[in-house]
Amino acid sequence: MHAVRRPFVGGNWKMNGDLASAVELADDVCAALGAEGIDRTIDVAVYPPFPYLFTAGRALGHSNVLLGGQDCSAEVGGAFTGQVSAGMLTDVGCRSVVIGHSERRHGLHEGHALLHEKLHLACESGLTVVYCVGETADERRRGEADTVVAHQIRHGFGTLPADRVARVVVAYEPVWAIGTGVNATPEDAQAMHASIRGLLGSLYDSRFAAQARIIYGGSVNAKNARAIFDQPDVDGGLIGGASLKADDFVAICRAAAEAWSGAPGH
Ligand code: 13P
């Protein structure tokens, strides 16, 4: 981790749990982070399922933990059955949104143009966008990982000016590492993060690239988090399975805070 960039750790709850467990998890996470002051040192966000956002947000209360949506529409409003706009997310207290998760890119065939429009509208609404990119196992095997990720970034950011996208957090989530228990090695994550940062430098400028947060997702757990977060271009993580257990998620947030402060690893 680099001292100039404040770490960001997100808990993507995906389509898990029920109302009661969402409230309990939000309660437990913000109480534990607050007790240790971790949510004042680093940025932490949780992304509950849509129906639980408002109530989970209430449970977070005045803590510094950000509430976020797992997706938003590429439309502002109107006859779009089943969709949720960026404005609706801010209305229920969200300050962040995940866009381009592989479970939507690949699972729901969301394409470049759609994701660019979502990113654009979410930024306009003042949300901190976590924009996910990542290659499949086949693409990596064919040596195409860098090209695929670069393509996703170029299309996502499009021609949006630097001031509009300054708060976008890029999440590198190799598809083969999501939910598999096989995380990218810290060295592989670092190599991809460095190449993403280089690309942001060429799309914008070196100052933009130096300030951009690039986080890693894919089978991060309480044990492997610190080694990944210790890499100079890794600025935190997007956590799936391990974010559903308060103790594990808090341990991962603690690892990010310790990596940032340079505290010795365990
Ligand atoms: P896992 O941590 O369960 O691998 O999921 C990662 C992820 O998809 C976060 O968005």
Side-chain angles (χ1 to χ4, degrees):
M1 264 186 198
H2 198 283
V4 299
R5 296 180 295 268
R6 187 178 162 95
F8 187 104
V9 178
N12 177 6
W13 296 358
K14 305 191 180 183
M15 198 168 74
N16 289 298
D18 55 19
L19 183 59
S21 67
V23 170
E24 192 182 331
L25 186 53
D27 262 338
D28 291 351
V29 164
C30 76
L33 291 176
E36 293 185 43
I38 296 174
D39 60 340
R40 289 191 297 279
T41 318
I42 68 168
D43 290 342
V44 179
V46 293
Y47 302 87
F50 285 139
Y52 309 145
L53 278 172
F54 185 73
T55 318
R58 284 258 165 109
L60 295 177
H62 295 297
S63 87
N64 289 330
V65 178
L66 304 176
L67 182 70
Q70 296 175 15
D71 177 49
C72 70
S73 176
E75 303 291 341
V76 175
F80 300 101
T81 303
Q83 298 201 42
V84 173
S85 71
M88 289 170 177
L89 291 181
T90 61
D91 199 19
V92 295
C94 288
R95 288 156 68 193
S96 181
V97 65
V98 174
I99 289 175
H101 194 281
S102 80
E103 286 147 20
R104 301 194 66 93
R105 279 186 197 269
H106 299 286
L108 299 173
H109 308 293
E110 292 194 351
H112 294 305
L114 181 80
L115 295 175
H116 169 70
E117 206 43 43
K118 289 184 178 196
L119 186 145
H120 176 202
L121 283 182
C123 289
E124 293 289 305
S125 298
L127 291 163
T128 295
V129 172
V130 174
Y131 179 62
C132 303
V133 297
E135 81 286 358
T136 64
D138 280 348
E139 289 163 344
R140 175 157 283 259
R141 219 172 290 122
R142 292 198 297 264
E144 294 168 5
D146 280 321
T147 323
V148 166
V149 168
H151 208 62
Q152 292 168 338
I153 293 194
R154 281 181 193 283
H155 281 277
F157 283 76
T159 55
L160 294 173
D163 59 342
R164 290 291 155 83
V165 292
R167 290 221 310 270
V168 173
V169 175
V170 174
Y172 170 55
E173 297 205 299
V175 180
W176 47 269
I178 295 177
T180 58
V182 182
N183 58 289
T185 63
E187 295 72 25
D188 282 347
Q190 166 58 26
M192 182 60 85
H193 283 225
S195 104
I196 292 171
R197 199 174 301 288
L199 175 62
L200 292 175
S202 68
L203 293 177
Y204 294 97
D205 57 33
S206 56
R207 192 159 162 266
F208 182 95
Q211 289 174 355
R213 290 182 293 187
I214 305 170
I215 64 177
Y216 169 80
S219 297
V220 177
N221 58 40
K223 286 207 176 81
N224 62 21
R226 179 64 196 265
I228 297 171
F229 296 161
D230 273 340
Q231 299 301 311
D233 285 295
V234 178
D235 305 312
L238 187 59
I239 319 303
S243 73
L244 298 171
K245 289 197 192 116
D247 287 351
D248 287 355
F249 186 62
V250 169
I252 292 167
C253 294
R254 189 184 300 120
E258 289 176 354
W260 200 43
S261 71
H266 300 293

